Amino acid sequence: MLLVVDAGNTNIVFALHDGTEWRGIWRIGTETGRTSDEYAVWLLALLAHRGLERGMVDRAVIGTVVPAALYHLRRLCRDWFDVEPLIASARLDWGFEIRMDNPAEVGVDRLVNGLAAHRRYGGPLLVIDFGTATTFDVVDHEGCYIGGVIAPGITLSVEALHRAAARLPRIGIGRSQGPVIGTNTIAAMRSGIFWGYVGLIEGISSRIIAEFGSPMKVVATGGLAPLIAEGTTVIERVDPELTLDGLRLLSARNPHPTHPVDRTSSD
């Protein structure tokens, strides 16, 4: 089986794929100080709960936008699963061109989203990922990554509003159920956050499509994608496993590195 690790700024997702389907998907909060042994205690208990064993894992791939988390995630794969993980980077074989001024600076989450989305839906397309940041990524007819937009994420905006305005409370993120015009502070904040982000999605998407010059499929992923998709017709599909599938496809395209214990003294 393939162990897939998607390490984001807020959460780290671990998943197992048996070549046909996902056998388990688990999330834990991102803490750069968490050790490989701590990950192992948590993850092995979840595997056992599903009737899975660590010996079933023969390959691993890690995609991370948090460099400080990589050391312990790599050690997890080496020490507890006896595999050397493939680390997603712009230098790997993606099967498409990365048409950026500096490809190495593009977050691998954006590249794997583009890879998976084009494989599933064709192109051209716009991929919107609702993570710590809200990203818009453009993939052309041939599957080439040509750039995008990065905006503050919804959770960041809510937290900033609470911290910067002394009299505004911290609120949960949810769809505004009443009219746009709020008649109390909480309702006004909910309306501003929800409809503000719907407006952001619609506005940036329409500008990207107009600039691209032809119709595009719009696919959304990330935890808050279903919520925002309820408020707009711009988003055509919500695909919660897009990033994991992209890492799986990347793993299939590239040879995996040799585990350190298998290397000869001449390596």
Side-chain angles (χ1 to χ4, degrees):
M1 291 190 192
L2 173 69
L3 174 64
V4 177
V5 183
D6 171 27
N9 289 295
T10 303
N11 293 306
I12 301 178
V13 182
F14 295 82
L16 274 187
H17 198 277
D18 65 6
T20 302
E21 63 181 356
W22 295 105
R23 297 291 297 275
I25 299 174
W26 306 277
R27 289 169 174 79
I28 192 170
T30 300
E31 292 182 15
T32 56
R34 185 175 280 123
T35 68
S36 57
D37 295 338
E38 290 174 302
Y39 284 124
V41 169
W42 172 80
L43 183 56
L44 293 179
L46 292 169
L47 292 178
H49 183 68
R50 291 285 181 91
L52 303 169
E53 300 177 1
R54 62 177 173 173
M56 295 175 174
V57 174
D58 60 358
R59 292 170 300 133
V61 58
I62 298 173
T64 180
V65 296
V66 187
L70 180 58
Y71 174 80
H72 290 294
L73 292 172
R74 197 198 302 257
R75 290 245 59 96
L76 169 72
C77 296
R78 289 176 174 175
D79 297 345
W80 290 91
F81 293 94
D82 200 32
V83 295
E84 182 70 10
L86 177 71
I87 309 301
S89 75
R91 296 188 300 272
L92 297 179
D93 173 15
W94 290 86
F96 58 77
E97 257 186 274
I98 304 171
R99 296 177 180 167
M100 295 284 286
D101 297 338
N102 181 7
E105 73 182 13
V106 183
V108 294
D109 54 336
R110 304 175 70 187
L111 297 177
V112 295
N113 284 346
L115 173 61
H118 189 264
R119 179 71 65 88
R120 286 191 175 191
Y121 308 112
L125 55 85
L126 173 61
V127 182
I128 306 172
D129 189 349
F130 294 90
T132 305
T134 299
T135 56
F136 301 73
D137 296 299
V138 180
V139 178
D140 69 9
H141 304 74
E142 299 175 348
C144 298
Y145 181 89
I146 65 173
V149 173
I150 302 174
I154 303 175
T155 303
L156 283 177
S157 297
V158 171
E159 188 63 24
L161 186 63
H162 165 68
R163 291 192 178 191
R167 298 190 63 183
L168 295 182
R170 179 182 283 110
I171 64 169
I173 300 170
R175 178 165 184 173
S176 178
Q177 299 298 325
V180 175
I181 302 173
T183 56
N184 57 69
T185 299
I186 299 295
M189 292 177 68
R190 288 193 186 280
S191 183
I193 292 296
F194 181 78
W195 293 116
Y197 263 84
V198 168
L200 181 144
I201 297 305
E202 293 177 340
I204 293 180
S205 296
S206 64
R207 287 178 179 270
I208 287 174
I209 294 169
E211 187 173 294
F212 186 79
S214 71
M216 307 176 76
K217 300 168 186 174
V218 181
V219 180
T221 192
L224 293 173
L227 173 67
I228 300 301
E230 291 178 5
T232 179
T233 58
V234 167
I235 296 172
E236 300 173 36
R237 290 184 174 88
V238 174
D239 192 332
E241 295 169 5
L242 199 64
T243 308
L244 294 177
D245 271 323
L247 286 168
R248 177 180 62 82
L249 292 169
L250 182 67
S251 171
R253 290 194 62 88
N254 290 269
H256 279 241
T258 304
H259 191 284
V261 300
D262 294 332
R263 294 174 183 163
T264 65
S265 58
S266 60
D267 287 341

